[in-house]
Amino acid sequence: MTNKYSSADAVEQAFYAAFANCDIAAMELVWDSDDVLCIHPGSSPISGHNAVMRGWTEILSNAELPNLQFKVLNRVATSDLAVHVVEEHISPRDGTLAAAIVLATNVYRRTDAGWLIVEHHASATRAQHEHHTLQ
Amino acid sequence: MTNKYSSADAVEQAFYAAFANCDIAAMELVWDSDDVLCIHPGSSPISGHNAVMRGWTEILSNAELPNLQFKVLNRVATSDLAVHVVEEHISPRDGTLAAAIVLATNVYRRTDAGWLIVEHHASATRAQHEHHTLQ
């Protein structure tokens, strides 16, 4: 009962703070205990709390602290479920690389333990180049 | 009132049928009229019904009829909102190319006109190669 996020926005803030700080313990607190799914850019889906946390642990323990900014582009919500489309700008803090732009669909659910994240689907965008194809 | 989809699964079937048949009129019927967002693989988000339909019209009018199969990997739902993670296998019908695997998060909303799609976030996967990075 150390954290009870009162809204989708609150747990979203905590998720991105954990990501930006490479804080594995904080990351664990924002995910629901069951029935969760995570897709990292270009990767296959990871299902289940333990497997999702193994993925984040691998990422966060190997990363330099990133410069991470995010902007919510779209919200769809009912009283118990919220879906946010988020644009993430991720770059090294030393300024050696331009920010990568990642698009994420994040799904938050209201549980007895407050709002928690149940899905994160992240994908890379092609820089500037807009052309729609089937694949 | 020509179509009232009674469930998220029903409108999902109609969405993929429209996609597989390159049927622009059918595609228009499955999208909600307002507040919709679509991300094609690698592309920037498209917001609004008309812009989303322009994107699909561009894709479907230029495509050969694809071989398209889909499998729902995960469902999260409340009475009015449903989020499905779907694995799409898309290939030319002439068998000249292996299927591309696309992951999609689809969001469906129960409206007065039945269940409709409000978000489609599709992204490509790297074939077989699993390595998690920040970007």
Side-chain angles (χ1 to χ4, degrees):
Chain A
M1 287 304 150
T2 50
N3 70 312
K4 255 206 169 184
Y5 301 111
S6 60
S7 67
D9 284 330
V11 69
E12 182 164 78
Q13 286 282 349
F15 169 72
Y16 283 110
F19 195 167
N21 295 322
C22 295
D23 184 336
I24 295 166
M27 179 61 82
E28 179 133 31
L29 292 176
V30 302
W31 283 87
D32 201 354
S33 55
D34 201 11
D35 202 19
V36 297
L37 188 143
C38 187
I39 302 170
H40 296 292
S43 297
S44 295
I46 305 171
S47 294
H49 186 89
N50 290 346
V52 167
M53 281 310 304
R54 278 197 297 276
W56 280 110
T57 300
E58 183 182 339
I59 290 172
L60 299 179
S61 58
N62 290 320
E64 299 289 324
L65 287 180
N67 194 343
L68 189 157
Q69 298 177 304
F70 73 98
K71 182 168 75 168
V72 179
L73 302 181
N74 198 60
R75 289 177 171 86
V76 181
T78 59
S79 55
D80 295 331
L81 198 62
V83 182
H84 292 188
V85 175
V86 180
E87 187 176 286
E88 307 171 351
H89 291 230
I90 304 171
S91 59
R93 287 198 181 173
D94 62 10
T96 52
L97 286 171
I101 298 176
V102 173
L103 294 168
T105 296
N106 295 332
V107 183
Y108 307 100
R109 183 163 54 196
R110 190 162 66 89
T111 74
D112 292 341
W115 283 85
L116 292 169
I117 185 165
V118 292
E119 191 201 320
H120 174 68
H121 176 178
S123 63
T125 57
R126 289 188 290 267
Q128 310 300 337
H129 191 255
E130 291 304 284
H131 187 67
H132 304 142
T133 64
L134 278 177
Q135 299 177 357
Chain B
M1 288 302 149
T2 50
N3 71 313
K4 255 206 170 187
Y5 302 110
S6 60
S7 67
D9 284 329
V11 71
E12 182 164 77
Q13 284 282 351
F15 169 72
Y16 283 110
F19 194 167
N21 295 322
C22 295
D23 185 335
I24 295 166
M27 180 60 83
E28 179 133 33
L29 292 176
V30 301
W31 283 87
D32 202 353
S33 56
D34 200 10
D35 199 20
V36 296
L37 188 142
C38 187
I39 302 171
H40 296 292
S43 297
S44 294
I46 305 171
S47 293
H49 186 89
N50 291 346
V52 167
M53 281 310 304
R54 278 197 298 276
W56 280 109
T57 299
E58 183 183 338
I59 289 173
L60 299 179
S61 58
N62 290 321
E64 299 290 323
L65 288 181
N67 194 342
L68 189 156
Q69 297 176 304
F70 73 98
K71 182 169 73 169
V72 179
L73 302 181
N74 199 59
R75 290 177 169 87
V76 181
T78 59
S79 55
D80 295 331
L81 199 63
V83 183
H84 293 188
V85 175
V86 180
E87 186 175 286
E88 306 170 350
H89 290 231
I90 305 171
S91 59
R93 288 198 181 173
D94 62 10
T96 53
L97 286 172
I101 297 176
V102 172
L103 294 168
T105 295
N106 294 332
V107 183
Y108 307 100
R109 182 164 52 196
R110 190 161 67 88
T111 75
D112 292 342
W115 284 85
L116 292 168
I117 187 166
V118 293
E119 189 202 321
H120 173 68
H121 175 178
S123 63
T125 56
R126 288 188 291 268
Q128 309 301 338
H129 193 256
E130 290 304 284
H131 188 68
H132 303 141
T133 64
L134 278 175
Q135 298 172 0

